[in-house]
Amino acid sequence: SIYALGAIGLSLIFGVLRFAHFAHGELMTLGAYTALTVKGLTGWPILVVLPIPMALTAFVGVAIDRWFYRPFRASPTIVVVIASFGMALMVRSLVQLFWGVKISSYSPGRIEKPWIIFDALRIQPKHIAIVLGALVLMAGVHWLLKYTRTGKAMRAMSDSPELARLTGIDTESVVRVTWLAGAGLAAAAGVFLGMDTQLNTNMGFFVLLPVFAAAILGGIGRPYGAMVGGMVIGLAEELSTYPW
């Protein structure tokens, strides 16, 4: 589910802007640490505060595009890709500057007991929450792309940016919505990853490869394929390490 959310954001950005965003993992890290701060300030459960880091990270994504990627729109794709590498280093360094490099947790010192089903299957409640949360967000992406005017414009621009521009679609508005959705989903993936494990400043970088694998498996630029690709890669990882 975590891979799927990250891969959806990657696919949206690639579909509309036509470049592989290598700073996507750092947006996941930023969302996770922003949630840690909001949780510490409010004392609310992590799932309750989830919309706040999603919104903040989404606006950071828009700002990054506006001030760093937009000047390279007319440049060769490789230029933007290399720029995203630089952006990854900057975001990671800022996270380390503000939050430090020590490992953190949303529930320090707390051990969650799993639910035991049929005397053999052990499921932790947080994993159920992660899967359900991911499904809700995926349903939101489906609604956006299928039933809204903006979503249809995003699909049109993904098919042909030039034709979309000629038909009167506000492409800059589509780009902003793409970054809002992609960065917001990355933040959610980061929060869920922090729930599943712990928080460290390299957490997004460590999962970037399987997230890219999920996006490519599902057909890069295809959000629905990214959903399936994330599930396939995640299940393959788990089943390959299961003590059969």
Side-chain angles (χ1 to χ4, degrees):
S1 298
I2 294 167
Y3 292 165
L5 290 178
I8 293 169
L10 274 178
S11 290
L12 287 173
I13 293 171
F14 185 89
V16 172
L17 295 172
R18 295 294 194 279
F19 80 97
H21 187 227
F22 281 91
H24 209 69
E26 271 57 44
L27 290 180
M28 294 171 62
T29 303
L30 179 63
Y33 275 90
T34 303
L36 180 67
T37 298
V38 176
K39 184 180 185 298
L41 292 174
T42 62
W44 298 341
I46 193 65
L47 290 177
V48 175
V49 305
L50 178 61
I52 299 175
M54 286 183 64
L56 292 175
T57 307
F59 282 110
V60 168
V62 172
I64 288 173
D65 175 69
R66 174 65 180 82
W67 299 107
F68 290 93
Y69 295 145
R70 189 176 179 182
F72 299 120
R73 292 272 170 82
S75 303
T77 302
I78 188 63
V79 174
V80 193
V81 171
I82 297 302
S84 73
F85 273 108
M87 179 53 59
L89 296 175
M90 286 191 283
V91 173
R92 190 188 313 165
S93 297
L94 286 174
V95 170
Q96 293 172 343
L97 179 65
F98 284 103
W99 284 280
V101 296
K102 292 184 178 179
I103 294 176
S104 303
S105 174
Y106 292 137
S107 304
R110 179 186 172 191
I111 299 176
E112 187 178 63
K113 293 184 177 180
W115 294 343
I116 301 177
I117 303 174
F118 301 124
D119 230 6
L121 182 63
R122 286 168 171 77
I123 301 177
Q124 289 187 312
K126 65 181 180 181
H127 290 161
I128 296 176
I130 290 171
V131 173
L132 292 178
L135 290 175
V136 169
L137 291 172
M138 290 179 197
V141 172
H142 172 69
W143 176 80
L144 171 67
L145 295 176
K146 189 76 173 177
Y147 297 108
T148 68
R149 186 180 182 88
T150 301
K152 293 174 182 177
M154 290 170 67
R155 287 158 53 196
M157 191 170 173
S158 178
D159 289 338
S160 175
E162 290 301 324
L163 186 58
R165 193 176 294 110
L166 290 173
T167 55
I169 292 175
D170 185 355
T171 55
E172 285 302 317
S173 175
V174 172
V175 169
R176 283 193 298 271
V177 173
T178 301
W179 277 104
L180 287 171
L185 291 172
V191 172
F192 290 155
L193 181 61
M195 289 173 58
D196 186 37
T197 56
Q198 292 177 314
L199 280 74
N200 69 79
T201 54
N202 290 309
M203 58 190 294
F205 174 75
F206 290 153
V207 299
L208 187 61
L209 185 59
V211 166
F212 261 105
I216 293 170
L217 179 64
I220 189 72
R222 300 176 181 272
Y224 294 108
M227 298 178 190
V228 177
M231 295 299 180
V232 171
I233 295 294
L235 286 171
E237 282 191 1
E238 295 298 322
L239 293 175
S240 64
T241 58
Y242 182 76
W244 294 99

